[in-house]
Amino acid sequence: MMNEMEIKKQICEIGKKIYNRGMVASNDGNISVKLNDHTFLCTPTGVSKGFMTPEYICKVDENGNVIQANKGFKPSSEIKMHMRVYQKRPDVGSVVHAHPIYATSFAIAGIPLTQPIMPEAVIALGCVPIAEYGTPSTMEISDRLEKYLPYFDAVLLENHGALTWSTDLLAAYHKMESVEFYAELLYHSKVLGGPKEFDKENVKKLYEIRRKFGMPGKHPANLCLNKDGENCHNCGGSCAEYKNFPGYEYDFVGGGCDNSSAGQSGSVDEATIAAIVQKVIAEMK
């Protein structure tokens, strides 16, 4: 387990990655990591995420109040949405917010990332809905984000950017990479005449593979079907309504449905995911 200084260094490293990949400009974006239920590390406001050093990093409590910050640094007002994620998703250990070009373009256009076009995206990421617009620095963003938290591990923020979360910082950052890659591929495939999507049966196969491997996080593979009996990737992003469907009792502690394996702890590395994908592709041929 990393100590606090090591985590601060990792936050700075991830900040450089999102800056160098063009996922943020100027002082945009923010990162947070959970130390325990009452203590969190986060990036400060008003600084470029590409040029941080450990002394920049702030420490806050579960309400976003400053516990420790060096002179000249204070948490971003957007720490509120991070805290809402931690509050509603006790399985989450880190949150990343960025403005990647393609994903943010979809957020601005009002198009959720729900089309099943790649095995990796279907298995590891799931659907990426759009949380309705909220005014920056207010509780509006957190309030409009909340209904998506039990069902997804990534969202687009309408006219704003993207937010991802996972068990640890590296996993949360990888989800942000995956969201942007998914959005870029979807954009280019639309330019070329439209993507060829997996049919419902192949999506079900991908979901079943994910369930068998017990991957952490929330995902439509572990949750209920929507009101039309379709899977998440064919429902146009209406998954936030799952808890209203008859026959499924929502578990507010675990964040999943009582008939699923959602909320399992543990992690699956990239090699395992790659092996899963190769197996699924072979079965589809």
Side-chain angles (χ1 to χ4, degrees), residues 58-76:
C58 304
K59 185 185 293 185
V60 299
D61 65 17
E62 66 270 32
N63 297 311
N65 299 315
V66 176
I67 296 174
Q68 189 277 325
N70 290 324
K71 185 177 180 180
F73 300 106
K74 64 179 181 178
S76 166

Side-chain angles (χ1 to χ4, degrees), residues 13-215:
E13 291 171 1
I14 296 300
K16 287 181 175 67
K17 285 183 180 294
I18 64 174
Y19 181 81
N20 291 336
R21 286 180 62 92
M23 291 182 172
V24 292
S26 186
N27 302 331
D28 297 346
N30 34 76
I31 299 166
S32 67
V33 174
K34 179 179 179 179
L35 298 179
N36 56 58
D37 289 341
H38 306 289
T39 313
F40 304 81
L41 296 176
C42 66
T43 52
T45 188
V47 302
S48 171
K49 304 308 171 291
F51 298 91
M52 297 185 300
T53 54
E55 63 267 22
Y56 284 41
I57 307 304
C58 304
K59 185 185 293 185
V60 299
D61 65 17
E62 66 270 32
N63 297 311
N65 299 315
V66 176
I67 296 174
Q68 189 277 325
N70 290 324
K71 185 177 180 180
F73 300 106
K74 64 179 181 178
S76 166
S77 61
E78 292 185 332
I79 193 65
K80 298 179 182 70
M81 65 180 175
H82 293 241
M83 293 299 111
R84 187 65 61 90
V85 176
Y86 294 122
Q87 179 187 359
K88 300 299 180 180
R89 287 286 300 274
D91 59 309
V92 168
S94 180
V95 179
V96 174
H97 170 53
H99 301 163
I101 293 173
Y102 286 93
T104 303
S105 296
F106 275 85
I108 291 170
I111 304 171
L113 301 175
T114 60
Q115 293 181 262
I117 59 172
M118 291 182 63
E120 294 88 343
V122 174
I123 291 173
L125 189 61
C127 292
V128 184
I130 298 179
E132 296 79 2
Y133 179 75
T135 306
S137 82
T138 72
M139 296 303 292
E140 290 178 6
I141 297 178
S142 301
D143 292 342
R144 290 164 188 175
L145 169 67
E146 182 172 329
K147 67 181 180 181
Y148 298 97
L149 296 178
Y151 307 100
F152 303 96
D153 290 327
V155 298
L156 302 182
L157 302 170
E158 186 177 20
N159 291 87
H160 189 166
L163 191 72
T164 60
W165 51 90
S166 193
T167 53
D168 56 64
L169 176 53
L170 190 58
Y173 165 70
H174 281 156
K175 284 192 181 295
M176 184 62 71
E177 275 196 350
S178 295
V179 168
E180 177 64 351
F181 188 52
Y182 178 12
E184 184 174 0
L185 288 174
L186 189 56
Y187 173 83
H188 287 299
S189 65
K190 287 179 181 290
V191 171
L192 293 171
K196 181 179 180 181
E197 299 181 9
F198 295 131
D199 61 27
K200 298 172 188 176
E201 291 305 313
N202 278 323
V203 171
K204 288 179 181 178
K205 291 178 183 179
L206 295 172
Y207 282 8
E208 182 59 29
I209 292 293
R210 180 187 168 91
R211 283 194 290 270
K212 287 180 179 178
F213 278 78
M215 296 170 69

Side-chain angles (χ1 to χ4, degrees), residues 240-270:
E241 300 175 5
Y242 282 157
K243 62 185 177 182
N244 298 321
F245 302 155
Y248 293 91
E249 182 177 354
Y250 178 69
D251 174 7
F252 283 93
V253 178
C257 296
D258 65 357
N259 65 334
S260 74
S261 59
Q264 290 181 340
S265 60
S267 61
V268 178
D269 60 26
E270 293 181 8

